[in-house]
Amino acid sequence: METLLNITIYLPLLALVAFMFVKNDNAIRWIALIVTSLTFAVSLPLIFNFDSANSHIAQYVTESGPLLFGLDVNYIVGLDGLSLLLFMLTTFLGPIVVLSAWTSVKKHVGAFFAMLMLLQTGSLGVFASLDLILFYIFFELTLIPMYFLIGIWGGADRIAATIKFFIYTLVGSLIMLVALVYVGFDAGNAVNDGVFITDWRVLSGPEYQIGLVEQTWLFLAFSLAFFIKVPLFPFHTWLPYAHTEAPTAGSVVLAAVMLKMGTYGLIRFCLPMFPNAMVEFAPYVALLAVIGIIYGALVAMVQKDVKKLVAYSSVSHLGFVVLGLFALNTIGVQGAIIQMINHGLSTGALFLIVGMIYDRRHTRQISDFGGLAGVIPVFAVFFMIATFSSIGLPGLNGFVGEFLILMGAFTSETLDNIWFAIFGTTGVILAAVYMLWMFQRVMFGPIKHEENKNIKDLNAREIGLLVPVMIFIVWIGIRPTHFTQFSEHQVNVLLEEAAQKKNEILMSTNPAELPSWANKLYKVEINLAELKGDNNE
Amino acid sequence: MAEYVWLIVLIPLIGFLINGIGGLSSEAYRKQKTLIGTIATISVFIPFLIALQIFFGMGADSEPYVARLFTWIEAGSFSSEVAYRVDQLSIIMALVVTGVGALIHLYSMGYMKDDEGYWKFFAYLNLFIFAMLNLVLGNNLILLFLGWEGVGVCSYLLIGYWYGDMAKSDAAKKAFVFNRVGDFAFLVAMFLVFRAVGSLDFDIILNNLSAFTPEITFWVAVLMFIGATGKSAQIPLFVWLPDAMAGPTPVSALIHAATMVTSGIYLISRFSSMYVLTPEAMLIVAIIGGLTAIVAATIAITQYDIKKVLAYSTVSQLGFMFLALGSGGFIAAMFHVVTHAFFKACLFLGSGSVIHAMHHVEHELEHEGKDVHFDPQDMRYMGGLKKYMPSTYWTFLLSTFAIAGIPVFSGFFSKDEILAFVFNAGMGEYSYIYFALWGMAVLTAFLTAYYMFRLTLTTFHGTFKLPSKVKGAEDSEKYLHESPSTMTIPLWILGGLAVIGGFMGVPDFFVTTFTSSDIKINWLHAWLDGVTSDSALVLSYGTKWILVAIAILIAVFATVLAYRNYDNDKGEASDAALEKRFGSLYQVWSDKYKIDEIYDASIIQPTFKLSDRVLAVFDMKIVDGFVNAVGGTVRFFGSLLRFVQTGVVQTYALVFIIGVILVLSLIIF
Amino acid sequence: METFFFVFISTLAIGTALAMVISKNTVNSALFMVLHMLSVAGFYTLLNAQFLAVIQILVYAGAIMVLFLFVIMLLNLDEDEKVVSKIDFKQLISFTLALVVLAQLLYITGNYAGVLPELTGEPIAAVGTVEAIGDELFTTFLLPFEVTAILLTAAVVGAMLLAQKTSNVIDE
Amino acid sequence: MIGIEWYLGVSAVLFIIGVIGVLTRGNAIIIFMCVELMLSAVNITLVAFSSFMGDVHGMILVFFVLCVAAAEACVGLAIIIAIFRNNITADINKINLLRW
Amino acid sequence: MEILNDLLNYLPAAIVAVGGLVVMMMDGYKAKSRLIYQTTMFFLAGALVIATYDLLYQEVGTLFSDMAASGSTAAFGTFIVVFGTFFTVILTHDYLIGVKHNYPQVYPLLMFCTVGMIVLATANDLVTVFIGLETMSISLYALAGIIRDKQLGVESALKYFILGAFSTGFFLYGIALLYGATGSTNLSEIGAYTDGSMIYWGGVSMLLVAFFFKISAVPFHMWTPDVYTGSPTTITAYMSTASKTAAIVALVLILERALPYAADQITSTMAIIAIMTMVLGNTVAMVQDNVKRMLAYSSIAHVGYLLVGLAAGTDLGFTAVLYYLLAYSLMNIGAFGVVAYYEKNHDVHFNNIESYAGLGYKQPLMGILLSVFLLSLAGIPPLAGFIGKYLVFAAAVEAGLINLVIIGVLASAASAYFYLRVMVYLYFKESKEPVKLMKPLRVYSFSLVVLAVLTLYFGILPAGITELIASYFSGNGLAIVP
């Protein structure tokens, strides 16, 4: 199985090699499709054999010797409850994305699919890495193909968009790199006989504890990178540009996979390593998340470009995910995890759909459409399901995630304030407003433009690529436990361990040695008194 | 039999899938209209039979049965199942939904037979039934919410069924969004409940009401009620319902009269044992209900659109039901739900029949080559239809009697019981307010009878006014004809039910006063007593009879007045007189209290402008501007620094020397 | 005597150096440079580095400065195009900064006394002889010496490359 | 007796004179000569150390410096010739095509 | 025979020197340029083989009475220098033919220059350092101006020469002062000195100044953009890699062996200089429109990263610096190589970024290669440039220089902008006027591919080389002396 995991990660690169020798565009398309399908097929045993009762232990682990002498960076990949679903989502979307670009990409076909394959490997690597440095490498690796995807095959304003995307993300991740290296050395000294270590399994374990002051800085550095990637308000401005300008396939991967790297990083790295900071900053982050939910929705409402609207809706939806994560209870975190998948499916589907209509009309302005429902009924149905999924209709996937997240936030002891959830819930109303309004303007009403009268409905390829997504949208909506079961145990363990670690760190802190801001931020004395009180009882 | 309750829910879904997928994928299937209609109707009718079977297998004292299917959502301490509950309350609702639903399906087969999207219509209808059954049968709040939102979606789809018309899709969107506002409150209520008791199962919640602090109880009650105001079209969220008439008439009958809009009443009845713990929340419910009732009734008087009148009437009647709920008359409210479902569905279907006929006229005129356009729903063009459409007329009239509260018709009993409960509530806390509400309720009852007869008389009596009013429509009455039997059969069934439906809840005192025995003739009361927590009626027999008398007087007086004003084509003149008499007040009514405009000006436009002019600009200029400014600053410094590079060697040497000084200073000092 | 000699040579060296820097005419500058080189050779003798003194005169004054003069003549550079008549802002800054460096250097060297124990306080006679230098040069410093040969060859090739007039481009 | 600090001082002064020359003169040839001046100034320091310490290494280094100076002069003058052919000037203030 | 042994251990330099003399003579007898080129390649190939052997197997020791060092760092420096020269010559030959200035004297000069570099990189005595440095510099002055009939070429040579000679004065002054303070020019003897007189510090700072100049650290960088822009492109590649490598390896040797006592002061100085270098290099590079000049500023910026590693001054820091040099040489030669290829297809001024529009599709291989090199320069994984940067920053983090690292990574992020900008023109824009690119010589593109593959290889599997480098320093006790 270990081999299978590695094969899954690197299989797309095989296509890359093939592209070097194949010049025929159609052959390239088929190779890409076959390889991504194969990747998906190969990855299936991973989920079927996954032991969800032990989801907190990484499975299918491959561990190599040091890759970088002196720093002992190891190649460690494996899957656990946190990563499994996202990993599978990535492999699942592979063939779909390839199909979506089947005819719409006409220039430099080989390069396009090569970039997609590279992106696939990078994304899979991100989710499978259990070593922080390795994670970082894959994290960055995904930037390059996306840069080219947007830059070469993107829209009119693609250059500014892609550069902004690249640099913005890079700034965050580089700062994270510094923090990451610091953690590596620190952990090396603390738990690994002075040898640099970035093995997640060690760092997240209970032995390795970071002092409060360091935690603050490290948390900020890590979370900055992830916040930008998520993107959390006010770090979101690259997203509308990148999404709008990216080709359909790029938008889909960006929304479905790459944004998740941020939220995934928050839960995987920040929580177990910086539990105290996570808890103390949770209300502030939740505040930003809630602002993001409402703000993203309001701005989405007035967008004139369909894709931009969906992009801003992503800001809003990802706000939910962050809110759930920082609720720091099982309900919220589980909701956030499933919502990551949901957003990937529903927003991915929306981008696919917008791409299909763009292929037909070469415009994305809402005002250029209207009345399409009568012309292209099959399209309308898919669009409608995706829209409903996106606005969180019960019975479809979006609801499960949003409900759990809001429920988690509402009952969260960490946030200890029901208003986060209440304001977050208003996002549900707003989502209905902007999505339905957009849907209405695009699909309903009289046909205003002559060009719209002769649009062809979806062909078999397009239906074929949407149907699997729709199946999962409904499946998750009806039987979410089939999916949440994979992470349930790990989330519980993670939260428990984090809480315990947090208390241990607090207990070992001497308030007198801390700078005053840290005392204030962590309310050390009050918390310590409470802890000691608990112990005496 | 109760263990097959899941079949009730499943069959409509199967119907939906067959018609939906079949119609979507196959051109040929779409043409099989009879098949489609039959499948749809049967997949509602079978559940009705099952429900009936279950119903007959139950007694008033049967324990609730819960059919647990599978775990739906589970995370941490939260877990909810897909589980259907059979108890006295839910089976009543299920019967109404499937029964009325089946009839309306049948009716639609006739009404929609010329429509292109026939298959789609029936698919949506079946989906609606599925969602509605989830709502009434679900065993926990979240499954109820699934249905709650599901019916909202179906309502959205069906209101906007003729999406080609922007106004219609606007109405659909409006309905959905207003519903969502209510859902927001509902969600928060769920969170509060969960935080207090750790579960959303009805049993667990209702058995653990002690876990709520009074404050939480109040808030949960209020928030649920706000949810209900959205779905059941109460102030301040009622404005979507009149617009919802944009949908096909069967939809209005089914969703916007008989079933969906009553889900709020069902919800509060379900939680009646919680509501009685918080009189303040009850008061709020009552006040909102009472206000809605009278406000909608006043608007109804001024409307000319046949469906709009019915819509406002529905809002008003729903207000009545909430008034009952707020007064502790949960069973009374449910009673009214049922009777209202019968007569309002019948009224809507009747109006549909009329509209169908008017459409036909328009269509035939067009066929003649005349370019005639008129609003087929405007009652000013109608009149005298009774001789062309006797079935429609008679059933419509019966239902009008029912809604007007004419004795022995179903509405009489249910409305009377509500009035009694409101008066009864005046005996307890907040008595003045409840008395005032009672006054309003009586007034509303009067108005109801008045506008309903206005509607009936203007439409069916007198002469057919279209030929005289619209040029080119001369002799158009020859095209008027009765609707086909698929449409009239449901009308007759519903009309019959509207007549006799009231007997399921004949007040006990009708008999006990005279026999002095303890006999229970109020079947419904007995049936639901175990699931709801009605307040006790403390009125004396005398008071009760006086209240009945008042109700009868009011209804008869209003009927007579309406006959005087509206029979024999006097309608428009009377309305003009009315307008003159009430002046600006009438204007306010006919402007629908300008509530839409107020919403537009106070919420929608400001939000939109905030988003468009402030936030979107803020996003591009400030947030993104800041990012760009950082980049720009770096570039700016870069372009400044590059000018140090003058190209003259001596400058370079000079900088070198500066560097030397720097390094020397750093190292030496 | 030695003090006098030192003062004389110092004055001469600094004077010629200054003269070279501020002289208007390039040829004059070069000639002052020659004088300066000679005075530096004087320092060497004072410090008992006779071999270096000879080399200094031969190589510097003899060869290098002649080369300079030759180029000056070749390019007709004797008429200086710009005289240091006007003291502009840049020069003022240059001057100030140079003086700052001087101050730092003097501060460094001024703190020198008594750092090395074996410092005798006066020049040691035996070190600067040809034998001593030659001995070290061909044993210890063999590598630098050989590399110097390469260096000089490279300089010649480089000069050839740069100063050739005909462009012998070979097109292939 | 003349202490070593005097030699060092004179050497430093000469060095700075060279520096000033490089910084202020516009003629490339004079700048070259100033560079040579700097080198020979350092030579004085080296020889002084060498002599006072009784260690021959410093003098050998001076020997190498002389060689280097010669080589530099050779290449430098060649460059000046080349530039003179292109620009007909040796004023470095006018040789500033490459900038910004 | 000790001398024979020494010579055997110094074989790469010897081969290159002999080769230089041979090709010089061949030029004297008017041999064909192609033959001269082939002979040069023959000698360089021999040197490269031996340098590789030395890199792997040479024992650590000193040669020529402590004048030079062998093994470890020295062998590493020699290897990179010879390696860089090897590829430079391949690229230069083609390039010079392209721009029609194929003088046969270039080859001996390059060889002599390489000898200087090897001497510099292996020096164990300040005298050797001086001689090596000067041999290298003087050859480079000449090489910068080989396109002697173009104003830009000679102007760059003049600027380089004046400032180079100027810095030589300071360098010499530094040596003199150090000699005076410690009584020796031998690195280890200087390293044994721990008294800390003023004159010692003066010597250290002057020495640093000269090295800062050679590696073009701010504010001693002023010559770099001009010289790099004006020189023939492949020579620029050579200058920016091989010469920088030699100087930095020498600096590492000096810091490690001669100046451990001064480590504290050096750390702070290096840190400040590093910050200035990174910030200036990157910000100014952002606003350049000439690709060559942009690469020049970028090379300044890279020196900043190298200085971060030197500032750390730990084993890891030196390891990082050496690894970085290797990576940097690979990618910078590569990048300049592609730029040279584009340039020779047109004229010398064909370096404006505008004229790169759409070129990526004209000869896809070249476009891909340039992208790889630039992405590596930008420090994007999984390319060698990333590992280099990572190691350098990690070393600084280990040494506690967090602030320095933060500035470094931010500057690095900014640097992505101008590297990406080239790709924007290569791929994202359409060329305005039709440009025809000739097919590159097979050997030319092959050598660039080799460089790119190595860049990728060292990015993905750096363990072997980092292990090798780390072994040079482990157990040397190089940590900062308090």
Side-chain angles (χ1 to χ4, degrees), chain A residues 126-380:
Chain A
V126 165
F127 295 127
S129 311
L130 286 173
D131 185 279
L132 272 69
I133 302 287
L134 195 65
F135 169 82
Y136 177 84
I137 289 175
F138 280 119
F139 191 76
E140 292 284 273
L141 183 61
T142 55
L143 289 185
I144 308 171
M146 190 47 86
Y147 173 76
F148 283 108
L149 281 179
I150 300 176
I152 299 179
W153 295 275
D157 201 17
R158 60 190 188 276
I159 294 171
T162 195
I163 288 190
K164 176 170 272 174
F165 155 75
F166 195 100
I167 306 257
Y168 209 149
T169 331
L170 192 67
V171 169
S173 56
L174 278 171
I175 288 178
M176 174 178 80
L177 177 65
V178 179
L180 205 148
V181 171
Y182 182 91
V183 169
F185 282 114
D186 195 50
N189 288 330
V191 292
N192 199 29
D193 304 326
V195 178
F196 184 90
I197 185 164
T198 46
D199 185 344
W200 180 79
R201 293 167 299 177
V202 175
L203 298 184
S204 65
E207 292 84 21
Y208 176 53
Q209 298 177 352
I210 309 175
L212 291 182
V213 179
E214 290 90 337
Q215 259 193 41
T216 316
W217 297 121
L218 293 172
F219 171 78
L220 288 177
F222 268 82
S223 54
L224 177 71
F226 296 137
F227 287 167
I228 291 175
K229 196 91 182 178
V230 169
L232 190 67
F233 175 88
F235 307 106
H236 65 280
T237 50
W238 63 268
L239 183 79
Y241 286 112
H243 264 326
T244 315
E245 300 305 330
T248 303
S251 297
V252 174
V253 179
L254 191 60
V257 180
M258 288 182 75
L259 302 190
K260 305 306 167 326
M261 294 174 190
T263 43
Y264 170 76
L266 283 173
I267 181 73
R268 176 170 287 278
F269 300 115
C270 291
L271 176 62
M273 293 199 304
F274 323 118
N276 303 56
M278 192 86 173
V279 168
E280 295 306 329
F281 280 101
Y284 306 101
V285 179
L287 181 66
L288 285 181
V290 170
I291 292 176
I293 293 172
I294 297 172
Y295 177 90
L298 286 178
V299 180
M301 201 160 70
V302 297
Q303 294 305 317
K304 295 175 180 64
D305 182 314
V306 187
K307 234 175 161 185
K308 214 163 194 172
L309 189 147
V310 180
Y312 273 107
S313 85
S314 276
V315 175
S316 187
H317 285 150
L318 269 298
F320 277 110
V321 177
V322 174
L323 182 64
L325 288 181
F326 280 82
L328 293 179
N329 54 20
T330 313
I331 302 178
V333 174
Q334 277 285 74
I337 289 174
I338 196 73
Q339 184 66 2
M340 288 187 217
I341 307 295
N342 293 338
H343 177 258
L345 292 169
S346 57
T347 308
L350 279 174
F351 277 121
L352 287 172
I353 285 163
V354 173
M356 289 170 189
I357 193 75
Y358 180 79
D359 285 347
R360 287 165 170 73
R361 282 282 281 108
H362 297 286
T363 175
R364 288 187 301 254
Q365 294 301 310
I366 294 175
S367 55
D368 287 341
F369 300 116
L372 297 186
V375 188
I376 40 177
V378 181
F379 175 87

Side-chain angles (χ1 to χ4, degrees), chain A residues 411-422:
Chain A
T411 52
S412 164
E413 287 173 21
T414 314
L415 297 178
D416 200 26
N417 192 339
I418 58 173
W419 290 103
F420 289 121
I422 292 175

Side-chain angles (χ1 to χ4, degrees), chain B residues 292-303 306 308-318 320 340 344 347 379 396 400 403-404 415 443-459 558-559 562 566 575 578:
Chain B
T292 311
I294 192 148
V295 163
T298 51
I299 298 173
I301 290 179
T302 64
Q303 297 299 309
I306 181 167
K308 279 272 161 70
V309 175
L310 290 176
Y312 280 108
S313 160
T314 307
V315 175
S316 173
Q317 294 302 308
L318 289 167
F320 238 87
H340 180 254
K344 192 49 73 58
L347 286 170
M379 57 170 130
F396 204 92
T400 309
I403 192 172
K415 203 178 278 186
L443 188 56
T444 311
F446 170 80
L447 291 172
T448 308
Y450 183 80
Y451 67 70
M452 279 313 299
F453 277 105
R454 168 178 177 264
L455 171 66
T456 315
L457 295 170
T458 318
T459 310
T559 312
Y566 294 98
D575 282 336
L578 211 60

Side-chain angles (χ1 to χ4, degrees), chain C residues 103-126:
Chain C
Q104 284 178 328
L105 286 180
L106 289 178
Y107 177 75
I108 290 165
T109 48
N111 278 307
Y112 179 66
V115 169
L116 278 180
E118 62 263 46
L119 212 60
T120 52
E122 63 176 274
I124 294 159

Side-chain angles (χ1 to χ4, degrees), chain B residues 484-524:
Chain B
S485 56
T486 44
M487 288 165 73
T488 48
I489 291 169
L491 280 175
W492 279 111
I493 296 174
L494 285 169
L497 285 169
V499 175
I500 59 162
F503 292 103
M504 72 172 86
V506 178
D508 291 336
F509 70 93
F510 273 34
V511 177
T512 51
T513 320
F514 306 108
T515 61
S516 306
S517 68
D518 213 15
I519 195 164
K520 300 269 181 204
I521 58 161
N522 191 338
W523 171 82
L524 190 69

